[in-house]
Amino acid sequence: MKQRIATLAMASLLSAGAALPVSAQSVTLRYAAHYTDEEMVPLTACFRDYEKQNPGTTVQYQQVALADFLPALQTSRLAGTLPDILNVYSNLGGELVANNVLAEPPADVLDMLKERFEPTTVEASRVDGKIWGIPAEVSLYMLVYNKKLFSQAGITTPPTDWNGVLEAAAKIAKQDELGRVTTAGYAFGPTVANATHPLRALMFSQGLQLVDPDATTTNLTDPRAVAIVDGEAKLFADKSTSPANKWQDFASGQVGMFIGANWLKKDLRDGLGDAFADTVGVAPIPGGADWKTYQYAFYQSVAAESPNGEAAWKLLRWLNEPRGEGKRSCVGDMLVRLGSLSANKGDIAASTAEYSDPFTKPYVDALASGRAVTTTNLRQTTAIDQVLRTEIEEAWLGRKTGADAMSAADARISAILAEP
């Protein structure tokens, strides 16, 4: 998912020990998330401020790699050491709710969400009709393109539809004498999300959800969805890209464009240095005039089994309140430092300078305009995405047509949805 996520053994949760019992004098709140200690610096500083303002309260941070999040929670739950506060990746929310891991927010937190947060992002924390946490980091997708490669290929404006992407990619792509792609007109990435999230965005632009609201059927066999996958396969067949080309090659000038999330700003800026502003362009999802994009979020929730639930929600509310008139919240300060996006309207208003640069502003505008769409959070989301990536790759590699790949994905996902 993110390059900056560090690997952490799930033993970190076990070694933390059980929380202290709630008392009027002392309470220890354990906050688990995937961020490194360095990335957490602004938030841990706020933890110390909170402790000073609330004598007897201690806040401890535990880092858990995103890839280990579910098994780590399962292990710590069995050991009785489940953290009080969980920074939940929204695509895992359905599974956590199904297993009764998360507590419902109190009324004052729900009121805060209605008043201060972008509604579409609040929906990212909804499972089974209920909200389960406070949105923190928001990720949504746009078309990221190399302005220099576009200029060299004679392309004056970024493509606005999927056929335009294929045409532009063919103009940009280069191969060596052995036919290997040296410069990809378009690139994907190695993770499941690098295939499934762009597909969602392109399907949303065609008015299609991946899974219907009844959570029993998919729209993958719809001709509009098949056309998207056929176009992806054409990129490979025409040598506009290859399995060896990744979006990570963008900074080295070997990728013309990709559909990527806003959190990539830091990685691209670090890779390009002073050339960042002259190289990187951001444009709407190439889905036509009614384009939409896919968004997900990380949201802060409280463990249902926490003996410190009331104190945990009190801390979370404080962390998401502005730290003065016209100032960001503690969470907002951390996200801005990371180059990430907050769904807190106050944070956005207080971050005009940080969020108005040519890279970030299109993402902010997409969020504020309602073009960013979340998907229904299901218990089976992880399994669905794994199946989808596998079948998409079959089309990419020419082993299946787009129609056959999507038909197979539809059958396998429908079976998953039908499981009790």
Side-chain angles (χ1 to χ4, degrees), residues 193 252 281:
S252 62

Side-chain angles (χ1 to χ4, degrees), residues 144-191:
V144 180
Y145 66 97
N146 187 310
K147 293 188 284 189
K148 293 181 179 179
L149 292 182
F150 268 54
S151 177
Q152 292 170 14
I155 304 170
T156 57
T157 57
T160 58
D161 58 30
W162 194 226
N163 286 333
V165 168
L166 306 185
E167 294 170 2
K171 293 178 181 179
I172 294 168
K174 296 178 182 178
Q175 304 84 29
D176 63 16
E177 63 276 6
L178 298 177
R180 294 173 298 196
V181 179
T182 56
T183 299
Y186 186 98
F188 297 92
T191 69

Side-chain angles (χ1 to χ4, degrees), residues 209-354:
Q209 282 274 352
L210 196 152
V211 176
D212 276 334
D214 62 6
T216 60
T217 57
T218 83
N219 288 303
L220 294 173
T221 58
D222 186 289
R224 292 168 290 179
V226 172
I228 295 167
V229 178
D230 277 337
E232 294 179 346
K234 189 175 187 336
L235 290 168
F236 287 85
D238 292 350
K239 293 191 175 181
S240 292
T241 194
S242 79
N245 302 121
K246 311 296 181 187
W247 69 259
Q248 288 87 341
D249 301 323
F250 187 96
S252 62
Q254 296 173 296
V255 169
M257 56 187 152
F258 64 96
I259 291 177
N262 47 279
W263 59 262
L264 291 169
K265 176 182 178 180
K266 183 177 185 299
D267 291 355
L268 294 174
R269 188 172 53 196
D270 289 348
L272 287 162
D274 293 340
F276 175 80
D278 293 332
T279 303
V280 185
V282 174
I285 292 293
D290 294 328
W291 69 273
K292 300 287 190 298
T293 189
Y294 170 60
Q295 70 160 314
Y296 65 88
F298 287 86
Y299 58 88
Q300 302 159 321
S301 191
V302 173
E305 297 175 13
S306 170
N308 308 312
E310 183 177 349
W313 284 117
K314 179 183 175 183
L315 169 63
L316 289 180
R317 183 178 176 93
W318 185 86
L319 290 173
N320 287 278
E321 291 176 341
R323 306 197 76 191
E325 185 69 26
K327 294 185 178 180
R328 289 187 292 263
S329 68
C330 287
V331 173
D333 278 341
M334 185 189 77
L335 296 177
V336 166
R337 183 174 181 265
L338 292 176
S340 298
L341 185 58
S342 170
N344 187 320
K345 295 177 183 178
D347 289 342
I348 295 173
S351 305
T352 302
E354 294 85 355

Side-chain angles (χ1 to χ4, degrees), residues 13 17-22 27-30 72-86 95-105 132 301-313:
L13 293 181
L20 296 175
V22 176
V27 59
T28 297
L29 298 173
R30 287 169 298 129
L73 293 186
Q74 292 163 354
T75 303
S76 61
R77 193 180 189 189
L78 290 173
T81 60
L82 194 65
D84 301 281
I85 297 171
L86 309 173
E95 190 164 352
L96 294 175
V97 170
N99 286 282
N100 302 311
V101 175
L102 305 182
E104 294 183 44
W132 295 92
S301 191
V302 173
E305 297 175 13
S306 170
N308 308 312
E310 183 177 349
W313 284 117

